[in-house]
Amino acid sequence: MAIITFHPQKLSQEELHVQKESVKEFFIRGPGAACDLTSLYFQESTMTRCSHQQSPYQLLFGEPYIFEELLSLKIRISPDAFFQINTAGAEMLYRTVGELTGVNSDTILLDICCGTGVIGLSLAQHTSQVLGIELVEQAVEDARWTAAFNGITNSEFHTGRAEKILPGLLKSKEDGQSIVAVVNPARAGLHYKVIQTIRNCRAIRTLVFVSCKLHGESTRNVIELCCPPDPAKKLLGEPFVLQQAVPVDLFPHTPHCELVLLFTR
């Protein structure tokens, strides 16, 4: 799958149509055919990055989705959904996360910033329930499709900002059952209210934090998770303790890696 982001400038719709056909021809019969694309999308945008809601993706040819086989699951991926491009590395990453969670049949797995839901769905058979929260609507639709296709019935996925959804979701689940949280935020880290909610939820005793950029905002998240209770900042719950850090090299030949952090309390 490829997405062409095209600045429309002052082109008319007829002129834009000519450009779309030119791009399409390049990838079907021109030099771009070597890419062997299964789908090609076109997005008109005046920004370098915008969502499907801001400017819809237009399918020029091919299938609307791509599919991956990962951890015995068939996974659907929409053009707007995040998915690790290194599939073999992603499998190693998600296996590592699964091992560190220590979930069992009495555990609710809370998957925050869940993307297409792979982490939660890969562990669904070992938990009582999977709860996923994701901002991108298309990714949530993919997660629900993947759950249905693979016969997973103990999962539910919620669309929206974690800081708005999480407090109410946890309030409805705090009945003494153990909750294991997995967070996999973007480089900006987790919203402060998400950290607050996790700290103040006594049912969460284990937290697995996946970071692609630990310095910066993620470091702030770690400090807030582990600092002593601070009523002024509404961090009232018992602090977490960092138990283990596991690097996973998803980006060979670069200085970057994903870091999986295990916290308990």
Side-chain angles (χ1 to χ4, degrees):
M1 177 186 290
I3 302 169
I4 304 296
T5 302
F6 189 92
H7 194 305
Q9 301 180 62
K10 296 180 180 180
L11 298 179
S12 67
Q13 285 302 309
E14 291 77 13
E15 290 170 322
L16 277 172
H17 177 73
V18 171
Q19 295 301 320
K20 292 176 192 177
E21 289 300 310
S22 175
V23 168
K24 183 176 173 182
E25 180 70 17
F26 176 86
F27 283 103
I28 293 178
R29 283 176 280 275
C35 298
D36 196 24
L37 295 181
T38 57
S39 55
L40 177 67
Y41 280 92
F42 187 93
Q43 184 186 46
E44 299 169 32
S45 175
T46 58
M47 300 179 284
T48 56
R49 172 80 174 121
C50 70
S51 68
H52 174 72
Q53 282 71 30
Q54 293 169 305
S55 179
Y57 296 112
Q58 304 166 47
L59 183 63
L60 297 187
F61 74 81
E63 299 297 321
Y65 312 102
I66 56 176
F67 296 90
E68 284 279 7
E69 299 284 341
L70 194 72
L71 298 174
S72 302
L73 297 173
K74 183 173 182 178
I75 301 155
R76 192 183 84 174
I77 307 163
S78 294
D80 208 23
F82 172 80
F83 193 83
Q84 297 284 1
I85 59 172
N86 182 341
T87 306
E91 191 162 40
M92 177 65 72
L93 174 67
Y94 298 149
R95 284 191 192 280
T96 300
V97 172
E99 291 167 3
L100 293 179
T101 60
V103 294
N104 57 52
S105 58
D106 296 323
T107 305
I108 292 175
L109 180 66
L110 178 62
D111 193 355
I112 302 172
C113 308
C114 68
T116 53
V118 181
I119 292 175
L121 293 175
S122 68
L123 295 170
Q125 62 181 319
H126 305 295
T127 67
S128 65
Q129 188 179 25
V130 172
L131 301 174
I133 302 174
E134 169 57 40
L135 177 63
V136 179
E137 186 176 355
Q138 282 189 310
V140 170
E141 292 172 0
D142 290 336
R144 290 170 179 161
W145 182 94
T146 298
F149 183 87
N150 292 279
I152 298 170
T153 57
N154 63 337
S155 65
E156 59 182 63
F157 294 93
H158 302 264
T159 306
R161 296 189 176 278
E163 61 268 25
K164 293 184 178 179
I165 294 174
L166 187 59
L169 189 61
L170 285 179
K171 192 173 290 185
S172 69
K173 297 296 179 182
E174 278 200 81
D175 56 1
Q177 192 168 17
S178 173
I179 301 175
V180 171
V182 174
V183 299
N184 188 9
R187 293 183 180 184
L190 292 171
H191 192 280
Y192 180 66
K193 288 185 178 179
V194 175
I195 297 293
Q196 266 185 355
T197 305
I198 292 173
R199 272 289 300 257
N200 298 337
C201 178
R202 283 186 244 172
I204 300 176
R205 312 300 299 175
T206 300
L207 169 69
V208 178
F209 194 122
V210 182
S211 176
C212 60
K213 183 185 177 185
L214 188 60
H215 56 287
E217 290 303 301
S218 291
T219 298
R220 176 183 59 80
N221 289 163
V222 171
I223 292 170
E224 292 163 351
L225 287 167
C226 299
C227 70
D230 187 343
K233 294 183 177 180
K234 299 182 181 179
L235 298 172
L236 307 178
E238 181 185 351
F240 284 88
V241 176
L242 177 61
Q243 301 288 358
Q244 196 171 349
V246 183
V248 182
D249 187 8
L250 265 72
F251 318 105
H253 311 297
T254 78
H256 305 289
C257 73
E258 296 275 324
L259 190 62
V260 186
L261 305 173
L262 170 64
F263 297 89
T264 63
R265 61 177 177 176

